[in-house]
Coordinates of all heavy atoms in Angstrom, one line a residue:
K14 N 1.7 21.5 10.5 CA 2.6 22.6 10.8 C 2.2 23.4 12.0 O 1.0 23.4 12.4 CB 2.8 23.5 9.5 CG 3.5 22.7 8.3 CD 3.9 23.7 7.3 CE 4.5 23.0 6.1 NZ 5.1 24.0 5.1
Y54 N 14.5 20.2 4.8 CA 14.4 21.3 3.8 C 15.7 21.6 3.1 O 16.0 22.7 2.7 CB 13.8 22.6 4.5 CG 12.3 22.5 4.8 CD1 11.8 22.9 6.0 CD2 11.4 22.0 3.8 CE1 10.4 22.9 6.3 CE2 10.1 22.0 4.1 CZ 9.6 22.4 5.3 OH 8.2 22.3 5.5
H56 N 16.6 21.1 0.2 CA 16.4 21.6 -1.2 C 16.2 23.2 -1.2 O 16.3 23.8 -2.2 CB 15.3 20.9 -1.9 CG 14.0 21.1 -1.3 ND1 13.7 20.5 -0.1 CD2 12.8 21.7 -1.7 CE1 12.4 20.8 0.3 NE2 11.9 21.5 -0.7
I57 N 15.9 23.7 0.0 CA 15.7 25.2 0.1 C 16.6 25.8 1.2 O 16.4 27.0 1.5 CB 14.2 25.6 0.3 CG1 13.6 24.8 1.4 CG2 13.5 25.5 -1.0 CD1 12.2 25.3 1.8
F62 N 15.1 33.1 2.5 CA 14.0 33.0 3.4 C 14.0 31.8 4.4 O 13.2 31.6 5.2 CB 12.6 33.0 2.7 CG 12.5 32.0 1.6 CD1 12.2 30.7 1.8 CD2 12.7 32.4 0.2 CE1 12.1 29.7 0.8 CE2 12.6 31.5 -0.8 CZ 12.3 30.1 -0.5
I66 N 11.7 30.2 7.7 CA 11.0 28.9 7.7 C 11.4 28.1 9.0 O 10.6 27.5 9.6 CB 11.4 28.1 6.5 CG1 10.8 28.8 5.2 CG2 10.8 26.7 6.5 CD1 11.2 28.1 3.9
R90 N -1.3 15.7 -2.0 CA -0.8 17.0 -2.6 C -1.9 17.8 -3.3 O -2.0 19.0 -3.2 CB 0.4 16.7 -3.5 CG 1.6 16.1 -2.9 CD 2.5 17.0 -2.3 NE 3.1 18.1 -3.1 CZ 4.0 18.9 -2.8 NH1 4.6 18.8 -1.6 NH2 4.5 19.9 -3.6
T96 N 1.8 25.3 -3.0 CA 2.5 25.8 -1.8 C 2.0 27.2 -1.3 O 1.9 27.4 -0.1 CB 4.0 25.9 -2.2 OG1 4.5 24.7 -2.8 CG2 4.9 26.3 -1.0
R107 N -5.0 24.3 1.8 CA -4.2 25.6 1.9 C -5.1 26.8 1.5 O -5.0 27.9 2.1 CB -2.9 25.5 1.1 CG -1.9 24.6 1.7 CD -0.7 24.3 0.8 NE 0.4 23.7 1.5 CZ 1.4 23.1 1.0 NH1 1.5 23.0 -0.4 NH2 2.4 22.5 1.7
V114 N 2.7 32.0 1.6 CA 3.5 30.9 0.9 C 4.2 30.0 2.0 O 4.4 28.8 1.8 CB 4.5 31.5 -0.1 CG1 5.5 32.4 0.6 CG2 5.2 30.4 -0.9
M115 N 4.5 30.7 3.2 CA 5.2 29.9 4.2 C 4.3 29.2 5.2 O 4.4 28.1 5.6 CB 6.2 30.8 5.0 CG 7.0 30.1 6.1 SD 8.1 31.2 6.9 CE 7.0 32.1 8.0
N117 N 1.4 27.5 5.6 CA 0.5 26.8 4.7 C 0.1 25.4 5.2 O -0.1 24.5 4.4 CB 1.2 26.7 3.3 CG 2.5 25.9 3.4 OD1 2.9 25.4 4.4 ND2 3.2 25.8 2.2
Ligands
LIG28 P1 5.9 22.3 -0.6 O1 5.9 22.3 0.9 O2 4.6 22.7 -1.2 O3 6.5 21.0 -1.1 P2 8.6 23.5 -1.0 O4 9.2 22.2 -0.8 O5 9.0 24.3 -2.2 O6 7.0 23.4 -1.1 O7 8.9 24.5 0.2 C1 8.9 23.9 1.5 C2 8.2 24.9 2.5 O8 9.0 26.1 2.6 C3 6.8 25.4 2.0 O9 5.8 24.5 2.3 C4 6.7 26.7 2.7 O10 6.3 26.6 4.1 C5 8.1 27.2 2.7 N1 8.4 28.1 1.5 C6 8.5 27.7 0.2 N2 8.7 28.8 -0.6 C7 8.8 29.9 0.2 C8 9.0 31.3 0.0 N3 9.2 31.8 -1.2 N4 9.0 32.1 1.1 C9 8.7 31.6 2.3 N5 8.6 30.3 2.6 C10 8.6 29.5 1.6

Side-chain angles (χ1 to χ4, degrees):
K14 294 190 181 189
Y54 285 134
H56 61 294
I57 48 170
F62 51 81
I66 296 178
R90 297 275 303 187
T96 306
R107 286 169 169 168
V114 64
M115 181 177 78
N117 62 5

